[in-house]
């Protein structure tokens, strides 16, 4: 009897944790899109006001301590390893790799790739224009991420708990 | 007579109802229908023995074998 109760509790807690992990994905995505926006603003400042070369900009960004900065660290590593790569190729390589703790979805990554292709491809005015465009796209992504979060975060939490209870009751 | 089974079915019914509401609120109508169907199937499997028992009893009562 006690064994039954303990194992049902184990099932319920594990599915609850699974549900929370899934719902966490939506919250983290929103947070990381916001971090990405601030990083892009930072990049803009470094390009426009300090006229720092792109690899050094990436190096400065990658020294930050949030999750998205680790992505830029990968990009910087790729560029450092192979001096011939353009920022576009470096971002492509880094984003195609599955980095642990990055919750951006395919659309966000596509936007970032497009941004990287334009990076370093023109003079300062051209780059400002492309940064403005990316900021607008990221704003849209932020709005959609927020909507998704409101919609699915609670759903996954309740599904986790309820499915655990259902399994426990069926097996009891 | 085993009364536990009735409570079990009642609990599953409540859980499936709540899950259904949650999924519909989140705009996943097709998933909500799937959970309802799954609940029905699970409960059916639970009572299938009793149903067959009932049929056997009827058969023996009316000498249909």
């Amino acid at each position: 009897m006690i064994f039954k109760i303990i194992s049902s509790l184990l099932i319920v807690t594990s599915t609850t944790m699974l549900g929370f992990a899934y719902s966490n994905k939506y919250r983290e995505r929103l947070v990381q899109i916001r971090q990405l926006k601030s990083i892009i603003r930072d990049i803009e400042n470094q390009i426009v006001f300090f006229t720092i070369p792109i690899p050094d900009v990436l190096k400065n960004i990658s020294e930050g301590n949030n999750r998205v900065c680790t992505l830029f660290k990968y990009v910087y590593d790729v560029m450092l390893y192979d001096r011939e790569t353009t920022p576009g190729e470096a971002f492509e390589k880094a984003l195609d790799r599955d980095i642990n703790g990055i919750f951006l979805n395919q659309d966000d990554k596509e936007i970032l790739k497009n941004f990287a292709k334009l990076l370093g491809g023109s003079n300062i005015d051209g780059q400002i224009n492309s940064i403005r465009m990316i900021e607008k796209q990221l704003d849209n992504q932020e709005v959609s991420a927020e909507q998704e979060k409101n919609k699915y975060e609670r759903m996954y939490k309740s599904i986790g708990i309820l499915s655990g209870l259902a399994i426990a009751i069926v097996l009891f | 007579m085993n009364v536990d089974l009735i409570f079990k079915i009642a609990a599953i019914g409540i859980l499936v109802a709540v899950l259904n509401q949650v999924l519909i609120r989140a705009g996943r109508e097709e998933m909500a229908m799937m959970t309802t169907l799954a609940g029905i199937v699970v409960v059916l499997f639970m009572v299938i023995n009793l149903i067959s028992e009932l049929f056997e009893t009827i058969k023996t009562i009316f000498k249909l074998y």
Side-chain angles (χ1 to χ4, degrees), chain A residues 80-94:
Chain A
L80 203 67
Y81 180 71
D82 185 4
R83 293 273 172 178
E84 300 282 298
T85 47
T86 63
E89 290 164 358
F91 269 87
E92 195 108 6
K93 267 182 197 163

Side-chain angles (χ1 to χ4, degrees), chain A:
Chain A
M1 190 64 195
I2 196 111
F3 181 70
K4 254 184 174 176
I5 290 170
I6 290 170
S7 46
S8 332
L9 276 176
L10 262 174
I11 291 171
V12 173
T13 43
S14 52
T15 52
T16 307
M17 277 162 73
L18 248 163
F20 272 77
Y22 262 99
S23 68
N24 193 37
K25 208 164 66 179
Y26 291 95
R27 203 175 51 236
E28 276 297 313
R29 185 180 160 224
L30 187 61
V31 169
Q32 291 189 356
I33 285 174
R34 284 181 182 150
Q35 286 172 353
L36 197 61
K37 272 172 69 181
S38 75
I39 283 174
I40 292 215
R41 194 144 301 158
D42 205 13
I43 290 177
E44 182 190 352
N45 284 339
Q46 294 192 32
I47 289 174
V48 176
F49 297 114
F50 302 106
T51 54
I52 301 172
I54 297 294
D56 294 340
V57 170
L58 291 174
K59 185 168 181 285
N60 290 339
I61 296 292
S62 68
E63 278 161 3
N65 55 0
N66 60 38
R67 283 273 170 73
V68 186
C69 288
T70 54
L71 182 74
F72 283 81
K73 181 148 178 40
Y74 272 96
V75 177
Y76 177 64
D77 286 343
V78 171
M79 286 188 82
L80 203 67
Y81 180 71
D82 185 4
R83 293 273 172 178
E84 300 282 298
T85 47
T86 63
E89 290 164 358
F91 269 87
E92 195 108 6
K93 267 182 197 163
L95 286 169
D96 285 341
R97 210 182 312 176
D98 211 14
I99 301 168
N100 198 18
I102 294 288
F103 290 99
L104 300 172
N105 70 11
Q106 211 53 46
D107 289 348
D108 308 335
K109 287 181 178 174
E110 216 55 53
I111 287 172
L112 205 54
K113 279 178 194 170
N114 287 336
F115 164 67
K117 273 175 203 151
L118 298 165
L119 207 61
S122 60
N123 62 1
I124 285 182
D125 286 336
Q127 296 195 35
I128 290 174
N129 276 336
S130 66
I131 284 169
R132 291 270 176 279
M133 193 181 75
I134 294 303
E135 276 175 345
K136 212 171 278 174
Q137 287 176 348
L138 279 178
D139 284 341
N140 290 339
Q141 288 302 104
E142 191 187 344
V143 170
S144 80
E146 196 152 10
Q147 280 169 354
E148 272 187 10
K149 187 193 144 216
N150 290 338
K151 215 171 171 184
Y152 294 129
E153 199 185 10
R154 280 184 61 194
M155 186 191 85
Y156 275 114
K157 278 181 188 167
S158 8
I159 282 181
I161 297 166
L162 291 172
S163 61
L165 282 174
I167 293 169
I169 286 169
V170 169
L171 292 179
F172 209 79

